[in-house]
Amino acid sequence: MTAAEDDASPDPQAPALEVADLRFDYPDGTTALHGIDLRVAAGERVALVGPNGAGKTTLALHTNGLLRAASGTIRVAGVTLADATLREIRDRVGFVFQDAEDQLFLSTVRDDVAFGPANHGLRGTELDARVDAALAALEVTHLADRAPHHLSGGEQRRVAIATVLAMRPDLLVLDEPTAGLDPASRRELMTTLAGLDVAQLIVTHDLPMVLELCPRTVLVDGGRVVADGPSDLLLRDADLLTAHRLELPYGLAPR
Amino acid sequence: MTAAEDDASPDPQAPALEVADLRFDYPDGTTALHGIDLRVAAGERVALVGPNGAGKTTLALHTNGLLRAASGTIRVAGVTLADATLREIRDRVGFVFQDAEDQLFLSTVRDDVAFGPANHGLRGTELDARVDAALAALEVTHLADRAPHHLSGGEQRRVAIATVLAMRPDLLVLDEPTAGLDPASRRELMTTLAGLDVAQLIVTHDLPMVLELCPRTVLVDGGRVVADGPSDLLLRDADLLTAHRLELPYGLAPR
Amino acid sequence: MGAGHTHPLYVHEHSPVHHLPAHVKLVATFTFTVVVATAPREHVVTFVVAALTLLAAIRVARVRLRFLLPRLAVVTPFLIGALLLPFVASGPRVDVLGIPLAEEGLWGGFGIAVRAVLGATASLLLVATTEVPDLLRGLERLRAPRLLTQIAAFMVRYLEVIVGEVSRQRRAMTARGYDPRWLWQLRPLTAGLGVLFVRSYERGERVHAAMRARGFDGTMPVLTEERPAGVRAWRLALVLPALAGLGRIAGLLVHG
Amino acid sequence: MLLAMHAPDGFLTAPTAIATGVLSAGAMAAAIRASRPELDDDRIPLAGVTAAFVFAAQMVNFPVAAGTTGHLMGGALAAVLLGPSLGLLVVAVVVIVQAIGFADGGLTALGYNVFNMAVVTALGGWAVFRGARRLLPATPTGVTLGAFVAAVASVVLSALAFSLQWLFGASAAVPFDTVLTAMLGVHTLIGLGEGLITAGVVAAVLAVRPDLVRGADGIDRAAGPARLPRARFVLAGVVASLIVAVGVAQFAVDNPDGLERVAEDTGFSEVAEDHALGSSIFADYATAGVGDETVSLAIAGAAGTLVTLALGTGLLLLVRDRRRGSDASTAPTA
Ligand SMILES: Nc1ncnc2c1ncn2[C@@H]1O[C@H](COP(=O)(O)OP(=O)(O)OP(=O)(O)O)[C@@H](O)[C@H]1O
Ligand SMILES: Nc1ncnc2c1ncn2[C@@H]1O[C@H](COP(=O)(O)OP(=O)(O)OP(=O)(O)O)[C@@H](O)[C@H]1O
Ligand SMILES: [Mg+2]
Ligand SMILES: [Mg+2]
């Protein structure tokens, strides 16, 4: 990557995410990523699927600098991830943890949603406006004064997304957003995600959701991208799915 | 319940579980169960479904005395739950927590599986035989010397089931056993459960699994049983499902 | 949870020291530190003998000094204090390289530093060769009150739960740009700590429930039989304090 | 940083180590006896979690003021959550395990480390907490403010106790009043941090699991969650601490690191005699109080009275609570 490309100011036309040759070893020596290449266009919604231990979460954590790769580059909206741009990258990437309880740590929903924007210096009415907008977008305004860990699973998930949406990210990364939700909450969440106007990378085992929600699917296994293409094509390829410990539920699978 | 019925010695013909008029309030005042009646025959496999917050986990925790009801009775294999029988009930009911990390707390898989039987006084070769049998039943013998928290999600789940199976329970209660598993691990787990010769109560949001695995479904909502019957009938009743925030995935639902 | 069984101070090795029963090592280490801590600071011979004995024990345990030295950091605050003493104490002065230093301060600083370093090194050697659950079992065998060892056992077990919760929370905060520098930025931290406590507790509750569900009644069941400590083990372990004690006697003879 | 904390082997003289060791062991034995009636299956894990929490919290340094950092002692917090006896035991276990399992703090220093960090903070903190609760409304806010005051006081008491031990058992020549001034100055600020953290934790636990807060017995839960007037609350704490810091100790923190500050201040010292094994406490006493002897003695007297008062009240409350606790019906297992 040449210096000329390394533009620190964001570019609305740039892809939301570009990952090139990303390698990562955990401290105990486990190599979790063996060179990942991935590109998410601005506004695109992409599913990231693969078996347990494939490296999905590891990859997702890299997009917002929570893990730092041994080699390879990450660019978000044209900004290359580096020490100097870490803060900016974290502004631009909203990360929703698999376990909503991991994400919510303050005693009211409003405080929790305000936490991110406040860290970026927003104060007073500007902050309130930002929080209100995020709460409204996820339809959780009525929960503003509740304690996050007293909410139902589905409500928690929506609040968790609100907390990152309040930071106006260019890219939303969600780690298994439908795990543990009842079917109606899952459906509501899917409707919510479909209505959001921001690029999304969705890590999931919920292939029926992928079919409905994501035009494109990236399949990883063993720390490598093994397939990348239209979800319809990819998820109807029974041999590919079987080879990577995936399957569509009985009834959805091709007969 | 009269004293004559209160037989403390187990009865192989008795239902694996009988719950009568169970009510429970959490310390903060939330009423989670409003009078539950439920019966699981010896060797039967029953699904317990319902929306987030319905009271499924609360009910499940009662089956082995981890929560104690304000009123109502619980009988396991003919033994009524009371202070005097608490230990015996815990022997008879194997409870698999939703989060395997909560369940596995020792440093090797073998120790963890041995923990329960050792608490009941088994030692030496008798203990080893019991552990080996449980490991073999779940096909995790090769993991015996690994650290439980270094296993993949699917492996952890199987080890968790082995830990309770080693106690030779009359009833296996599983809280959301397929959450977070990749589709292949989910399928393997379903095969394992189908092959176990013990009554099972399976709490889950995974309705496709219910259709395949459980002949009977109990639907709870708001702390009450709202439907109880053959899974095929119950889960094809679109109005009933919608009323209780459930739905079959697109493709499985009746067209 | 089991990862608490290996902690950052433990060195995985198969040395004679590693194989000694924990309670034997506890007694040896404690006796050694008593000898060192009670030696008058002018008895340099005692400290030299103790230091050499300890170095030999470290060799036998196959623990590298490069591993131990950075971990002595726990006593650096006290070493800083000890270092300052010669410069700031008043009283008779001696010239060292042209700098006038207070004699009393030199001795005071030396006394604090040498006891702290020797004591901490001995403790580090104990921890480097013994896993924490074994130490707790050792304390139990030395008849520490059961209530205390029980609390300690739960503490060690839950420590990992909490560290896990902390790192998850820290990660969540970092992901949203938290970078505290000032007192007033503490509020989310303290509020977060409260939530953290409750979450750790509730997680602990679940783990405990899982244990009770499998018949746990407060005592860990015997999963592997323990062998009693033989005379040989005691003899080997007590070499450390015995040599230090000889050093102590030598100190009395040399320094009066 | 706390000088009173995790002191290494040989930091105080052997007689001091033995005397505080006997006191600590006695207090722990009393606490074990006191907590036995109320201990059931579920309280030991709660104690374990609290211990783990205090242990973990002690590994995190928090900013106190311009660059000065401190960390939680946790005695007051444990006492408010678990009651004085179990609270004392929990922090004692933390200190002991840190020494034995993590080489943090000397083995032969356990006597004074346990005394200063567990016995004084738990019993003293509990005494202050009960006093404060009598003055404050029986609401979550009242309990939280009480916990704040108790936590600040517990740290100051701990510093006082350490200074007193230094008076009797210094292993190096530093006059008592210098140590006291330095300890009080820094620890008042550290106490403020301790107070804020303790109050924050207690408020959050009260809001979610009031059943876990022993010190909140008999409060009016209908009064709603603890509402702390943030700015005023912090300001009041700062002012109060500053008054103590300036008024009592005449000491201002202008140094980046609290510990170095103490080390520096205590370093400006005069000669004292040798403290070999066997030198009596009174011999030490006479030599350690060099300089302005009257002032030293006055402060020593005041400090001793304060610590003794707080400990005595704590013990009294402990015994009384036990009697009441054993009468109360046991809570349902849940
Ligand atoms: N903290 C860690 N230390 C060491 N190895 C780890 C750690 N976390 C994950 N791994 C390993 O890295 C690999 C990738 O893990 P990762 O969590 O990214 O998988 P995943 O695709 O998210 O799986 P799942 O679907 O089960 O969530 C696995 O082999 C895993 O065992
Ligand atoms: N520890 C608790 N304290 C207070 N209320 C609780 C507690 N745990 C659960 N509840 C409440 O009790 C009700 C039943 O909760 P439960 O966990 O049994 O639901 P569930 O059916 O298992 O839901 P899910 O599908 O989300 O796991 C809910 O209203 C919940 O908010
Ligand atoms: Mg993952
Ligand atoms: Mg549940």
Side-chain angles (χ1 to χ4, degrees), chain D residues 38 44 113 310:
Chain D
E38 65 185 55
I44 294 184
N113 282 345

Side-chain angles (χ1 to χ4, degrees), chain B residues 147-172:
Chain B
H149 50 278
H150 279 176
L151 301 176
S152 84
E155 290 167 337
Q156 275 188 350
R157 183 81 55 187
R158 288 220 293 270
V159 172
I161 298 175
T163 64
V164 302
L165 218 59
M167 301 178 72
R168 299 256 170 90
D170 292 316
L171 172 68
L172 204 56

Side-chain angles (χ1 to χ4, degrees), chain A residues 153 180, chain B residues 26 28 30 32 50-58 98 176 205, chain C residues 202:
Chain B
Y26 275 103
D28 69 356
T30 314
N52 288 125
K56 305 181 295 297
T57 298
T58 309
Q98 172 171 354
E176 306 202 18
H205 293 298
Chain C
E202 287 179 345

